[in-house]
Amino acid sequence: MAVTPGQTLSHYRLVEKIGEGGMGVVYRAHDTRLERDVALKVLPTGTLADEAARKRFRNEALTLSKLDHPNIETVHDFDTQEGVDFLVMQLVVTPDGRLKILDFGLAKLLPRVGEKSQIETVTNSDAVSGTLPYMAPEQLRGETVDARTDIFALGAVLYEMGTGKRPFPEDSSPRLIDAILHQTPVTPRAVKASVSPELERVILKCLEKDPTLRYQSATEVGVDLRRLNATGEVVIPASTPPRSRRWLHVAIGVVILAIATFIAYRPLNPPGAPSSG
């Protein structure tokens, strides 16, 4: 079933396309029952290829719908119509400049690795699912993935937030993949000297290429970040403007909250155990 503005999925009338990525196409839609505008994400065909995957995604959507946080987008609904799977979320407008996490994802293993632009999300029937600059080595190698794979992605996000640069800044997919697999990132303090030594330690531990050397859960990362604040350690560089400093603090907290929620819902697989997806 082709999806275009003007048609209706369930009781949601698609108004206009507002975004597109590897994990789907997002439309502004109108909820004809509750008379409100929403964001409706149509998932790529084949994303939920079997009943187990559909049940797992539905459970994750249910978990997300229970989150209540001013910096996390609200999930309203998940449904299917004529083979089209879609997720309905809060349509964000934040004139006060509040940061919102608009998308969620866990490392997911599919048969083999594919390559795309480094800014694209890699997700199709014959590729590892994920956004290339934030993918862990084991994910790129097609090995078993688990919560620690998401910890690597978290480390990449924290690195970028602290330094303004990605840990692996290569500008082509082959070089980027090679860097993630084989190169050690430049230390955050070498990029931006105002990053604290302890924050650097946290980031680099998240980015260990060997999953056994990383933090084993987002809870552990959260403990260390809270400890930095409790001891007065400068987590956010002092040169950062006050408003941006506030956003970075909020962003770190929300990333930890979101990933910790998923990991709590889907326990860490023991090394070598089959991934739950």
Side-chain angles (χ1 to χ4, degrees), residues 221-260:
V221 188
V223 167
D224 275 1
L225 290 177
R226 288 193 296 273
R227 183 180 293 118
L228 297 186
N229 284 330
T231 57
E233 180 75 49
V234 179
V235 176
I236 305 302
S239 59
T240 306
R243 187 177 182 185
S244 296
R245 287 166 61 83
R246 182 174 68 250
W247 283 16
L248 290 176
H249 277 298
V250 171
I252 290 174
V254 174
V255 170
I256 294 293
L257 169 65
I259 295 182

Side-chain angles (χ1 to χ4, degrees), residues 131-208:
T131 303
L132 189 50
Y134 308 96
M135 292 170 71
E138 66 272 17
Q139 198 172 7
L140 291 172
R141 289 192 294 262
E143 298 172 354
T144 297
V145 297
D146 55 32
R148 296 167 298 181
T149 306
D150 295 306
I151 296 298
F152 185 94
L154 174 58
V157 171
L158 292 177
Y159 186 107
E160 192 169 350
M161 290 169 64
T163 68
K165 298 182 182 297
R166 288 176 175 162
F168 305 100
E170 284 69 16
D171 58 3
S172 74
S173 295
R175 286 202 296 267
L176 179 56
I177 291 172
D178 181 71
I180 294 172
L181 290 175
H182 304 116
Q183 297 178 21
T184 300
V186 176
T187 60
R189 285 170 57 76
V191 179
K192 194 161 189 174
S194 52
V195 173
S196 74
E198 281 303 302
L199 178 58
E200 178 177 83
R201 184 190 66 79
V202 170
I203 293 171
L204 293 179
K205 185 172 181 178
C206 290
L207 289 173
E208 287 282 0

Side-chain angles (χ1 to χ4, degrees), residues 40-176:
L40 186 149
K41 175 184 283 189
V42 176
L43 303 182
T45 302
T47 300
L48 307 181
D50 54 58
E51 192 55 38
R54 186 176 303 279
K55 181 179 179 181
R56 185 163 57 247
F57 189 88
R58 186 180 295 275
N59 287 339
E60 291 171 0
L62 178 62
T63 301
L64 278 176
S65 71
K66 294 177 179 178
L67 290 178
D68 182 14
H69 192 284
N71 299 103
I72 298 179
E73 181 180 42
T74 303
V75 174
H76 298 312
D77 195 6
F78 168 64
D79 205 351
T80 301
Q81 179 175 311
E82 296 181 38
V84 176
D85 299 305
F86 59 93
L87 191 65
V88 182
M89 302 165 288
Q90 171 191 12
L91 180 66
V92 177
V93 178
T94 56
D96 60 352
R98 177 175 294 146
L99 178 147
K100 285 270 190 180
I101 284 190
L102 304 179
D103 200 6
F104 299 85
L106 287 174
K108 179 180 179 181
L109 186 64
L110 291 171
R112 62 181 185 272
V113 175
E115 294 181 7
K116 289 192 177 183
S117 164
Q118 68 162 359
I119 61 171
E120 288 185 291
T121 299
V122 181
T123 175
N124 55 47
S125 61
D126 60 355
V128 168
S129 176
T131 303
L132 189 50
Y134 308 96
M135 292 170 71
E138 66 272 17
Q139 198 172 7
L140 291 172
R141 289 192 294 262
E143 298 172 354
T144 297
V145 297
D146 55 32
R148 296 167 298 181
T149 306
D150 295 306
I151 296 298
F152 185 94
L154 174 58
V157 171
L158 292 177
Y159 186 107
E160 192 169 350
M161 290 169 64
T163 68
K165 298 182 182 297
R166 288 176 175 162
F168 305 100
E170 284 69 16
D171 58 3
S172 74
S173 295
R175 286 202 296 267
L176 179 56

